[in-house]
Amino acid sequence: MSHQPRRIGLLTGGGDCPGLNAVIRAVAKTAIYDHSWEVFGIEDGFLGMIENRIHPLTAQNVSGILNTGGTILGTSNKADPSRYATGYNASGEPQFENVIDTCLANLLAREIDTLIVIGGDGTMSGSQAFVDAGVNCIGLPKTIDNDLEGTDLTFGFMTAVETATHALDRLHTTAMSHHRVMVVEVMGRNAGWIALHAGVASGSDVILIPEIPYDLKSISEFVIERSKHGKRFSLVCISEGAKPKGGKQVVSKIDPTSPDPIRLGGIGEQLADDIARVTDLEARTTVLGHVVRGGTPVAADRVFATLLGHHAIGLIAAGERNRLVVCKDTKLTDIDIRTVANKQRLVSLEDPLILAARAVGTCFGD
Ligand code: F6P
């Protein structure tokens, strides 16, 4: 029991993912029950801090949410207070303003001295300005992409892999019945973690990730070879960020007001067309998209989220400042939050799962 009273602000930033509510619950209940601290929920990530939408959170507010998807606080992947889009000029270009002072004033008005920022690299980067302004920021690693620097695991990833694997399993059976090449595109931005893990778990024949640019010829030869040996279908799991050798990623949308303006998507359709043209086999595409971000978290994500929330409050009680809670070699620990800004953790070509998948005959398109 810490005797120093605290007023903590809590926000969820960036794209949502399963397990956010489990973390909110763990943070708020631990702070309230163990320390009698006051907790404030900030709505829609940094946007709520800019717009002064901050309200007290009670233990009752966070009760019954452990197994629910999404975030009760809401989130936004557009509002970076250091570069906040305030409108457009006459030529239609977005205009940006630094609104850190507004945010600091809104925190000060409630005497909030510590922020718990739950997010991925965008949110951790956004928190740097608050660290520089003297606000203690404790980060918790969230993203289905699992691409946050400094941690082996982010919560939400395990559920995303589970959801994608179930979808791949279903597409596997219909691929077999129709003797088709079934291409399944999954999210993950520039990192292939979801495609790699769901691809291996589902026994996908071909796994394509951004870290290994693919060669259409080698994929085509691989699926034709399978057809010749009685496997008249192939399951291809492709990451939205994958690209052909010498080619580019497929961009579905650009949002200039967002700190990360590029939205990927469409490579699955392109690959299915290419495979059908080159091999004469029938090919279909399914884009899983936001399906893998929604829904109830798996048990492992709920457990991980609860441990993360507890660790965060322990750090604050111990007087630690500006730490990111991470998982390293299966152990929970923490690192300086400033070391992870603007970085992405990509899949290493020597990742044990790549080696294991290659050993069972999986094609990576290289
Ligand atoms: O970072 C999570 C993520 O779901 C990525 O996998 C994906 O590229 C992106 O967010 C999609 O963003 P939005 O929800 O803005 O379409």
Side-chain angles (χ1 to χ4, degrees):
M1 170 95 184
S2 153
H3 295 288
Q4 194 184 2
R6 295 260 180 208
R7 294 163 76 89
I8 295 171
L10 179 62
L11 67 82
T12 53
D16 73 338
C17 78
L20 281 165
N21 286 333
V23 173
I24 293 169
R25 169 184 177 270
V27 165
K29 286 197 172 184
T30 310
I32 295 165
Y33 291 157
D34 271 10
H35 302 282
S36 302
W37 293 344
E38 281 183 70
V39 183
F40 292 82
I42 302 167
E43 291 176 16
D44 299 339
F46 288 115
L47 192 61
M49 209 191 288
I50 298 166
E51 296 176 349
N52 203 15
R53 289 186 281 117
I54 303 172
H55 53 80
L57 273 185
T58 64
Q60 236 174 352
N61 295 148
V62 298
S63 178
I65 63 170
L66 173 65
N67 60 355
T68 59
T71 158
I72 59 161
L73 293 176
T75 187
S76 164
N77 56 7
K78 292 192 185 183
D80 176 358
S82 308
R83 200 170 176 271
Y84 177 55
T86 49
Y88 294 86
N89 66 11
S91 334
E93 290 153 351
Q95 301 298 293
F96 297 95
E97 223 180 273
N98 184 324
V99 292
I100 293 289
D101 284 346
T102 307
C103 294
L104 291 174
N106 292 337
L107 295 179
L108 193 66
R110 293 167 180 85
E111 296 176 51
I112 293 173
D113 52 29
T114 304
L115 280 180
I116 295 190
V117 289
I118 307 171
D121 63 330
T123 309
M124 297 312 149
S125 304
S127 69
Q128 301 306 304
F130 293 93
V131 171
D132 294 344
V135 179
N136 185 17
C137 289
I138 303 293
L140 292 177
K142 165 245 64 162
T143 164
I144 58 164
D145 304 337
N146 204 31
D147 62 349
L148 186 63
E149 179 68 18
T151 184
D152 297 340
L153 186 63
T154 56
F155 72 86
F157 171 67
M158 290 181 281
T159 306
V161 168
E162 191 73 24
T163 306
T165 302
H166 284 306
L168 282 154
D169 285 348
R170 286 167 185 273
L171 293 163
H172 210 153
T173 60
T174 173
M176 289 166 80
S177 312
H178 285 269
H179 318 298
R180 284 173 173 160
V181 177
M182 203 59 97
V183 177
V184 186
E185 181 182 309
V186 297
M187 281 187 166
R189 287 203 305 171
N190 300 315
W193 295 109
I194 298 177
L196 175 61
H197 282 247
V200 168
S202 61
S204 291
D205 308 297
V206 181
I207 299 175
L208 303 174
I209 60 175
E211 294 84 348
I212 307 178
Y214 65 79
D215 176 16
L216 179 62
K217 191 161 167 273
S218 72
I219 299 169
S220 302
E221 284 171 2
F222 181 83
V223 296
I224 287 172
E225 200 57 30
R226 277 174 54 78
S227 294
K228 283 190 194 152
H229 290 89
K231 297 278 191 180
R232 294 169 58 209
F233 71 94
S234 287
L235 187 62
V236 180
C237 180
I238 183 167
S239 171
E240 62 177 2
K243 55 177 187 276
K245 278 185 187 161
K248 286 188 177 146
Q249 288 179 322
V250 179
V251 174
S252 72
K253 196 176 160 177
I254 295 180
D255 181 350
T257 64
S258 171
D260 180 10
I262 305 290
R263 294 292 176 276
L264 298 168
I267 188 67
E269 194 69 52
Q270 181 181 304
L271 179 70
D273 287 349
D274 286 344
I275 292 176
R277 180 173 42 78
V278 173
T279 64
D280 238 2
L281 294 167
E282 211 181 349
R284 291 284 190 277
T285 316
T286 303
V287 180
L288 297 186
H290 292 85
V291 166
V292 300
R293 266 199 5 213
T296 187
V298 295
D301 265 329
R302 298 180 206 180
V303 169
F304 186 37
T306 303
L307 287 170
L308 288 172
H310 180 252
H311 192 100
I313 295 299
L315 286 173
I316 298 167
E320 297 284 351
R321 294 185 64 80
N322 306 321
R323 308 297 291 169
L324 171 70
V325 187
V326 296
C327 177
K328 270 283 162 207
D329 302 325
T330 73
K331 287 203 174 59
L332 219 56
T333 176
D334 46 87
I335 59 173
D336 190 325
I337 199 171
R338 288 165 289 201
T339 58
V340 303
N342 306 312
K343 290 181 188 156
Q344 284 177 335
R345 190 180 73 98
L346 303 180
V347 178
S348 149
L349 302 191
E350 299 306 313
D351 189 281
L353 198 51
I354 291 193
L355 305 183
R358 286 195 197 276
V360 296
T362 308
C363 167
F364 281 90
D366 50 347

